[in-house]
PDB file of all heavy atoms in Angstrom:
ATOM      1  N   ALA A  12     -21.770  45.549 -25.092  1.00 70.00           N
ATOM      2  CA  ALA A  12     -20.740  46.463 -25.597  1.00 70.00           C
ATOM      3  C   ALA A  12     -19.650  46.648 -24.557  1.00 70.00           C
ATOM      4  O   ALA A  12     -18.455  46.611 -24.871  1.00 70.00           O
ATOM      5  CB  ALA A  12     -21.366  47.797 -25.968  1.00 70.00           C
ATOM      6  N   MET A  13     -20.043  46.828 -23.295  1.00 79.00           N
ATOM      7  CA  MET A  13     -19.066  47.037 -22.221  1.00 79.00           C
ATOM      8  C   MET A  13     -18.153  45.838 -22.091  1.00 79.00           C
ATOM      9  O   MET A  13     -16.946  45.955 -21.949  1.00 79.00           O
ATOM     10  CB  MET A  13     -19.796  47.275 -20.890  1.00 79.00           C
ATOM     11  CG  MET A  13     -20.376  48.646 -20.782  1.00 79.00           C
ATOM     12  SD  MET A  13     -19.126  49.934 -20.644  1.00 79.00           S
ATOM     13  CE  MET A  13     -19.083  50.563 -22.300  1.00 79.00           C
ATOM     14  N   TYR A  14     -18.757  44.668 -22.178  1.00 77.00           N
ATOM     15  CA  TYR A  14     -17.978  43.447 -22.066  1.00 77.00           C
ATOM     16  C   TYR A  14     -16.938  43.376 -23.171  1.00 77.00           C
ATOM     17  O   TYR A  14     -15.776  43.054 -22.942  1.00 77.00           O
ATOM     18  CB  TYR A  14     -18.935  42.259 -22.141  1.00 77.00           C
ATOM     19  CG  TYR A  14     -18.260  40.928 -22.240  1.00 77.00           C
ATOM     20  CD1 TYR A  14     -17.552  40.394 -21.164  1.00 77.00           C
ATOM     21  CD2 TYR A  14     -18.317  40.181 -23.413  1.00 77.00           C
ATOM     22  CE1 TYR A  14     -16.932  39.157 -21.254  1.00 77.00           C
ATOM     23  CE2 TYR A  14     -17.709  38.954 -23.502  1.00 77.00           C
ATOM     24  CZ  TYR A  14     -17.005  38.456 -22.428  1.00 77.00           C
ATOM     25  OH  TYR A  14     -16.394  37.232 -22.523  1.00 77.00           O
ATOM     26  N   ARG A  15     -17.389  43.702 -24.392  1.00 73.00           N
ATOM     27  CA  ARG A  15     -16.462  43.588 -25.497  1.00 73.00           C
ATOM     28  C   ARG A  15     -15.362  44.626 -25.427  1.00 73.00           C
ATOM     29  O   ARG A  15     -14.229  44.352 -25.812  1.00 73.00           O
ATOM     30  CB  ARG A  15     -17.226  43.686 -26.811  1.00 73.00           C
ATOM     31  CG  ARG A  15     -18.006  42.400 -27.033  1.00 73.00           C
ATOM     32  CD  ARG A  15     -19.083  42.579 -28.018  1.00 73.00           C
ATOM     33  NE  ARG A  15     -18.545  42.415 -29.359  1.00 73.00           N
ATOM     34  CZ  ARG A  15     -19.284  42.473 -30.437  1.00 73.00           C
ATOM     35  NH1 ARG A  15     -20.558  42.724 -30.315  1.00 73.00           N
ATOM     36  NH2 ARG A  15     -18.766  42.319 -31.612  1.00 73.00           N
ATOM     37  N   VAL A  16     -15.676  45.823 -24.924  1.00 77.00           N
ATOM     38  CA  VAL A  16     -14.628  46.840 -24.781  1.00 77.00           C
ATOM     39  C   VAL A  16     -13.575  46.344 -23.785  1.00 77.00           C
ATOM     40  O   VAL A  16     -12.376  46.463 -24.020  1.00 77.00           O
ATOM     41  CB  VAL A  16     -15.225  48.177 -24.308  1.00 77.00           C
ATOM     42  CG1 VAL A  16     -14.124  49.112 -23.868  1.00 77.00           C
ATOM     43  CG2 VAL A  16     -16.031  48.806 -25.418  1.00 77.00           C
ATOM     44  N   SER A  17     -14.030  45.768 -22.690  1.00 79.00           N
ATOM     45  CA  SER A  17     -13.056  45.324 -21.683  1.00 79.00           C
ATOM     46  C   SER A  17     -12.181  44.201 -22.226  1.00 79.00           C
ATOM     47  O   SER A  17     -10.985  44.152 -21.977  1.00 79.00           O
ATOM     48  CB  SER A  17     -13.760  44.875 -20.408  1.00 79.00           C
ATOM     49  OG  SER A  17     -14.490  43.693 -20.642  1.00 79.00           O
ATOM     50  N   MET A  18     -12.781  43.329 -23.032  1.00 77.00           N
ATOM     51  CA  MET A  18     -11.980  42.254 -23.625  1.00 77.00           C
ATOM     52  C   MET A  18     -10.964  42.827 -24.602  1.00 77.00           C
ATOM     53  O   MET A  18      -9.840  42.365 -24.691  1.00 77.00           O
ATOM     54  CB  MET A  18     -12.899  41.267 -24.377  1.00 77.00           C
ATOM     55  CG  MET A  18     -13.816  40.481 -23.489  1.00 77.00           C
ATOM     56  SD  MET A  18     -13.242  38.904 -22.842  1.00 77.00           S
ATOM     57  CE  MET A  18     -11.655  39.127 -22.236  1.00 77.00           C
ATOM     58  N   TRP A  19     -11.398  43.843 -25.326  1.00 75.00           N
ATOM     59  CA  TRP A  19     -10.509  44.475 -26.308  1.00 75.00           C
ATOM     60  C   TRP A  19      -9.305  45.084 -25.625  1.00 75.00           C
ATOM     61  O   TRP A  19      -8.192  44.975 -26.082  1.00 75.00           O
ATOM     62  CB  TRP A  19     -11.304  45.519 -27.082  1.00 75.00           C
ATOM     63  CG  TRP A  19     -10.540  46.250 -28.138  1.00 75.00           C
ATOM     64  CD1 TRP A  19     -10.131  45.759 -29.345  1.00 75.00           C
ATOM     65  CD2 TRP A  19     -10.104  47.601 -28.096  1.00 75.00           C
ATOM     66  NE1 TRP A  19      -9.480  46.727 -30.052  1.00 75.00           N
ATOM     67  CE2 TRP A  19      -9.448  47.878 -29.310  1.00 75.00           C
ATOM     68  CE3 TRP A  19     -10.209  48.636 -27.143  1.00 75.00           C
ATOM     69  CZ2 TRP A  19      -8.899  49.117 -29.608  1.00 75.00           C
ATOM     70  CZ3 TRP A  19      -9.662  49.867 -27.450  1.00 75.00           C
ATOM     71  CH2 TRP A  19      -9.004  50.099 -28.667  1.00 75.00           C
ATOM     72  N   LEU A  20      -9.557  45.756 -24.480  1.00 77.00           N
ATOM     73  CA  LEU A  20      -8.455  46.418 -23.800  1.00 77.00           C
ATOM     74  C   LEU A  20      -7.438  45.420 -23.269  1.00 77.00           C
ATOM     75  O   LEU A  20      -6.269  45.730 -23.119  1.00 77.00           O
ATOM     76  CB  LEU A  20      -8.994  47.278 -22.641  1.00 77.00           C
ATOM     77  CG  LEU A  20      -9.642  48.585 -23.067  1.00 77.00           C
ATOM     78  CD1 LEU A  20     -10.312  49.255 -21.871  1.00 77.00           C
ATOM     79  CD2 LEU A  20      -8.601  49.530 -23.650  1.00 77.00           C
ATOM     80  N   LYS A  21      -7.925  44.202 -22.946  1.00 76.00           N
ATOM     81  CA  LYS A  21      -6.990  43.235 -22.389  1.00 76.00           C
ATOM     82  C   LYS A  21      -6.168  42.555 -23.474  1.00 76.00           C
ATOM     83  O   LYS A  21      -5.146  41.957 -23.208  1.00 76.00           O
ATOM     84  CB  LYS A  21      -7.753  42.156 -21.604  1.00 76.00           C
ATOM     85  CG  LYS A  21      -8.382  42.659 -20.337  1.00 76.00           C
ATOM     86  CD  LYS A  21      -9.116  41.529 -19.609  1.00 76.00           C
ATOM     87  CE  LYS A  21     -10.155  42.112 -18.653  1.00 76.00           C
ATOM     88  NZ  LYS A  21     -11.224  41.168 -18.365  1.00 76.00           N
ATOM     89  N   SER A  22      -6.620  42.665 -24.719  1.00 76.00           N
ATOM     90  CA  SER A  22      -5.902  41.968 -25.787  1.00 76.00           C
ATOM     91  C   SER A  22      -4.753  42.841 -26.268  1.00 76.00           C
ATOM     92  O   SER A  22      -4.648  44.001 -25.891  1.00 76.00           O
ATOM     93  CB  SER A  22      -6.859  41.701 -26.943  1.00 76.00           C
ATOM     94  OG  SER A  22      -7.159  42.927 -27.586  1.00 76.00           O
ATOM     95  N   PRO A  23      -3.907  42.296 -27.133  1.00 76.00           N
ATOM     96  CA  PRO A  23      -2.824  43.138 -27.651  1.00 76.00           C
ATOM     97  C   PRO A  23      -3.304  44.182 -28.647  1.00 76.00           C
ATOM     98  O   PRO A  23      -2.539  45.031 -29.070  1.00 76.00           O
ATOM     99  CB  PRO A  23      -1.891  42.136 -28.353  1.00 76.00           C
ATOM    100  CG  PRO A  23      -2.712  40.942 -28.606  1.00 76.00           C
ATOM    101  CD  PRO A  23      -3.748  40.894 -27.542  1.00 76.00           C
ATOM    102  N   LYS A  24      -4.589  44.102 -29.022  1.00 75.00           N
ATOM    103  CA  LYS A  24      -5.078  44.978 -30.087  1.00 75.00           C
ATOM    104  C   LYS A  24      -4.817  46.478 -29.914  1.00 75.00           C
ATOM    105  O   LYS A  24      -4.307  47.101 -30.829  1.00 75.00           O
ATOM    106  CB  LYS A  24      -6.580  44.750 -30.291  1.00 75.00           C
ATOM    107  CG  LYS A  24      -6.870  43.550 -31.141  1.00 75.00           C
ATOM    108  CD  LYS A  24      -8.338  43.518 -31.536  1.00 75.00           C
ATOM    109  CE  LYS A  24      -8.702  42.090 -31.867  1.00 75.00           C
ATOM    110  NZ  LYS A  24      -9.561  41.914 -32.970  1.00 75.00           N
ATOM    111  N   PRO A  25      -5.173  47.078 -28.813  1.00 79.00           N
ATOM    112  CA  PRO A  25      -4.990  48.527 -28.719  1.00 79.00           C
ATOM    113  C   PRO A  25      -3.539  48.942 -28.887  1.00 79.00           C
ATOM    114  O   PRO A  25      -3.251  49.995 -29.443  1.00 79.00           O
ATOM    115  CB  PRO A  25      -5.484  48.896 -27.314  1.00 79.00           C
ATOM    116  CG  PRO A  25      -6.061  47.676 -26.751  1.00 79.00           C
ATOM    117  CD  PRO A  25      -5.780  46.528 -27.626  1.00 79.00           C
ATOM    118  N   TYR A  26      -2.632  48.097 -28.414  1.00 81.00           N
ATOM    119  CA  TYR A  26      -1.226  48.474 -28.467  1.00 81.00           C
ATOM    120  C   TYR A  26      -0.699  48.358 -29.885  1.00 81.00           C
ATOM    121  O   TYR A  26       0.077  49.180 -30.342  1.00 81.00           O
ATOM    122  CB  TYR A  26      -0.439  47.617 -27.471  1.00 81.00           C
ATOM    123  CG  TYR A  26      -1.187  47.593 -26.173  1.00 81.00           C
ATOM    124  CD1 TYR A  26      -1.941  46.474 -25.796  1.00 81.00           C
ATOM    125  CD2 TYR A  26      -1.250  48.738 -25.368  1.00 81.00           C
ATOM    126  CE1 TYR A  26      -2.695  46.501 -24.639  1.00 81.00           C
ATOM    127  CE2 TYR A  26      -1.995  48.759 -24.224  1.00 81.00           C
ATOM    128  CZ  TYR A  26      -2.722  47.642 -23.857  1.00 81.00           C
ATOM    129  OH  TYR A  26      -3.489  47.668 -22.733  1.00 81.00           O
TER     130      TYR A  26
END
Side-chain angles (χ1 to χ4, degrees):
Chain A
M13 284 291 101
Y14 172 70
R15 287 161 85 177
V16 167
S17 68
M18 293 270 47
W19 181 73
L20 284 172
K21 291 180 201 156
S22 71
K24 279 191 203 220
Y26 314 103

